[in-house]
Amino acid sequence: MSDSPDPTDSRTTATRYGEDIAGSAAFRAALADLIAFRTDASADDAGPQIAAYLDHVEAGFTAIGFETERTTAEGHPFLIARRIEDPDRPTVLGYAHGDTVPGMDGQWREGRDPWTLTEAAGEARLYGRGIADNKGQFLVNLTAVQAAMAARGGKLGFNLIWIVEMGEEIGSPGLRELCTARKNDLAADLLVASDGPRIAADRPTIFLGARGGRTFKLHLKRREGGRHSGNFGGLLRNPGLEMAHALACISDARGAIKVPGWTPEGGIPRPVRAALLGLTPAGGEVDEGWGTPNMAPAERVHGWNSAEILAFTCGTPEHPVNAIPPEATAWVQLRYVVGLEEDRLAEHLRAHLAREGFGDIEVEEIGPAFAASATPPDHPAARFAVQSLERTTGARPVVLPSLGGSLPNDIFTDILGLPTVWVPHSYPGCSQHAPNEHLPTAIFADATRLMAGLYWDLGEVTRETLLGQA
């Protein structure tokens, strides 16, 4: 890149471009356009809106010199955008999803329409379904690409392939099959993407993987119909009581997992502990004395496993009657880091329940499943990204070995063999997956500036440096 302008001045130009564009009326209008598509992946009639969203995004990629391709896998649509400038330069894979959870119309404050971008007076927040997860984060990155290109005279300086999927909220159907079938076409050196929250709104964050997620339905049925609690109390098994005791044996009284095979052997690796030292997770909302002992809160959510009861029911909670319920059902979710036998998690739960005297309980794995994945904090690509963000802000970003939630990151690490760097542009209080999803207006300019600097630096680095081969 010897004919490029002075890198220091041009990098500053890129970050300023990004910051300025993200604060403009044009950026807000582009964000409103994305929000307006009702891309609820779980809706039976979402097909036309999903197709229209991909049409819109495809036009945006084409306008800045990307070649685009529409394809399907397992019946689900994908957009692949590709800009190859020089095969000898590093190739980066980008990823985003344009689908959302349901809009939850009628449940938003002040009668807001979830599919209309709005700003509450005096709040400095923008509201709309998908603004945090993931339409707003996608627009930040695409804008940063444009800023870096503008500062480099229309060139990126590296190659960029981007996958946009429309089913992440329903478990990313087809993404694994797409990446397996198109492994050579999607070959890259590094994934750079954005999803999930920063550790706090004003703290730039990098996470390098994601905890896995599995949900298990526990069901115990003793008989058909209830029995009078006076006439039969003390004589018949109560499935509700049995299920309560069964759930209590999954974790101890402070939430530490007791199921063998549900926690990795050897504890938290030393580099992970070092990365998490001194961090406060989840915006500081931490209950003292809860969770696995001898671990800091950040270690429990970003470096260890948790088992949570999502729901538990027996009888008729909306109208209790004097009867022993005939059955009970509970839903338990495991979030986990790498190091488990993931195909045996249900087996481990059944065996544990049987040992504890609850072998009659049926265990069924349900819903989307995400595998655990992680790039080591000391990987050269991770160090490169940390240095880039620090160069932009003057302060070291927070580095999380794993996002507390789950993403299809294992597809990129395990199938495509990539180190993965995620730079989130949301924050813990954004109300994603709930009414009133929003982001602070200030986060857009800050995040776009960070990403413009990162994309600029990717245009300066060699493949050997990124992969530690220099």
Side-chain angles (χ1 to χ4, degrees):
M1 306 299 294
S2 59
D3 56 343
S4 296
D6 178 72
T8 303
D9 292 342
S10 296
R11 187 184 195 278
T12 300
T13 299
T15 57
R16 287 178 178 171
Y17 277 169
E19 190 172 15
D20 291 346
I21 297 170
S24 69
F27 180 91
R28 188 167 297 195
L31 183 58
D33 288 342
L34 295 180
I35 297 297
F37 291 99
R38 297 172 176 259
T39 52
D40 170 12
S42 65
D44 293 336
D45 59 352
Q49 286 286 305
I50 285 174
Y53 181 89
L54 288 178
D55 288 342
H56 183 79
V57 170
E58 184 175 17
F61 276 114
T62 301
I64 58 172
F66 280 73
E67 297 179 355
T68 60
E69 174 191 356
R70 298 279 280 276
T71 188
T72 60
E74 288 196 343
H76 292 268
F78 293 86
L79 169 65
I80 301 174
R82 181 179 283 102
R83 183 184 175 95
I84 306 299
E85 293 186 354
D86 182 349
D88 293 330
R89 298 291 300 144
T91 298
V92 174
L93 181 66
Y95 163 85
H97 67 92
D99 63 304
T100 70
V101 298
M104 303 177 188
D105 303 59
Q107 301 180 43
W108 292 50
R109 288 195 300 269
E110 301 178 11
R112 290 190 182 94
D113 174 10
W115 308 105
T116 300
L117 184 70
T118 57
E119 182 174 11
E123 286 190 8
R125 293 176 172 178
L126 293 173
Y127 289 81
R129 175 58 80 223
I131 191 168
D133 188 16
N134 178 250
K135 295 176 180 179
Q137 302 208 44
F138 163 69
L139 184 60
V140 162
N141 289 1
L142 189 61
T143 301
V145 165
Q146 293 174 271
M149 289 175 62
R152 190 170 261 122
K155 296 288 186 181
L156 265 175
F158 62 95
N159 309 304
L160 180 56
I161 304 170
W162 213 313
I163 300 173
V164 180
E165 73 155 314
M166 301 301 294
E168 192 269 352
E169 300 294 1
I170 55 173
S172 296
L175 181 60
R176 183 176 301 276
E177 290 68 27
L178 174 71
C179 291
T180 300
R182 303 287 297 274
K183 184 175 180 178
N184 292 336
D185 293 340
L186 299 173
D189 302 302
L190 167 71
L191 175 92
V192 174
S194 298
D195 203 342
R198 295 176 169 187
I199 201 165
D202 60 350
R203 300 216 43 201
T205 302
I206 288 173
F207 65 86
L208 302 173
R211 291 202 294 184
R214 302 289 179 98
T215 301
F216 304 93
K217 179 181 178 181
L218 280 59
H219 183 244
L220 177 62
K221 184 173 182 177
R222 288 300 182 191
R223 60 192 63 86
E224 294 293 336
R227 298 292 188 273
H228 193 284
S229 58
N231 296 333
F232 292 92
L235 300 178
L236 297 181
R237 292 177 178 271
N238 186 315
L241 283 173
E242 291 181 283
M243 184 65 76
H245 283 282
L247 294 174
C249 83
I250 292 175
S251 296
D252 66 16
R254 61 182 291 171
I257 294 173
K258 297 168 64 176
V259 181
W262 273 25
T263 53
E265 297 182 2
I268 300 176
R270 185 174 299 176
V272 174
R273 282 192 182 274
L276 296 173
L277 184 65
L279 295 182
T280 300
E285 190 173 355
V286 176
D287 286 331
E288 293 297 327
W290 184 256
T292 304
N294 302 316
M295 288 186 186
E299 292 174 340
R300 293 172 186 151
V301 73
H302 298 295
W304 199 241
N305 299 355
S306 63
E308 304 294 342
I309 299 171
L310 303 183
F312 174 24
T313 183
C314 63
T316 54
E318 68 281 2
H319 185 64
V321 296
N322 297 323
I324 299 170
E327 57 190 319
T329 307
W331 290 261
V332 176
Q333 186 177 73
L334 175 68
R335 300 279 187 171
Y336 58 95
V337 296
V338 295
L340 302 188
E341 297 176 290
E342 297 184 73
D343 58 345
R344 299 186 62 196
L345 295 175
E347 175 188 334
H348 289 316
L349 178 57
R350 292 188 190 98
H352 178 68
L353 292 174
R355 285 191 297 268
E356 296 293 326
F358 304 108
D360 292 344
I361 292 178
E362 299 175 357
V363 175
E364 176 189 3
E365 186 173 336
I366 63 170
F370 292 96
S373 61
T375 294
D378 55 357
H379 190 284
R383 294 200 303 265
F384 166 83
V386 168
Q387 292 165 1
S388 175
L389 267 62
E390 185 172 2
R391 185 179 177 189
T392 301
T393 65
R396 182 180 174 83
V398 173
V399 180
L400 303 177
S402 289
L403 180 69
S406 300
L407 288 168
N409 189 62
D410 65 294
I411 295 173
F412 307 121
T413 58
D414 298 350
I415 293 177
L416 298 182
L418 303 180
T420 56
V421 173
W422 295 78
V423 187
H425 310 319
S426 181
Y427 82 113
C430 68
S431 296
Q432 69 182 91
H433 292 197
N436 308 305
E437 182 178 350
H438 67 277
L439 283 179
T441 53
I443 208 169
F444 290 105
D446 181 59
T448 309
R449 180 170 65 104
L450 287 176
M451 294 305 295
L454 179 56
Y455 288 135
W456 176 271
D457 291 340
L458 284 165
E460 297 290 306
V461 72
T462 64
R463 176 181 287 115
E464 290 74 19
T465 298
L466 276 177
L467 300 180
Q469 298 171 351

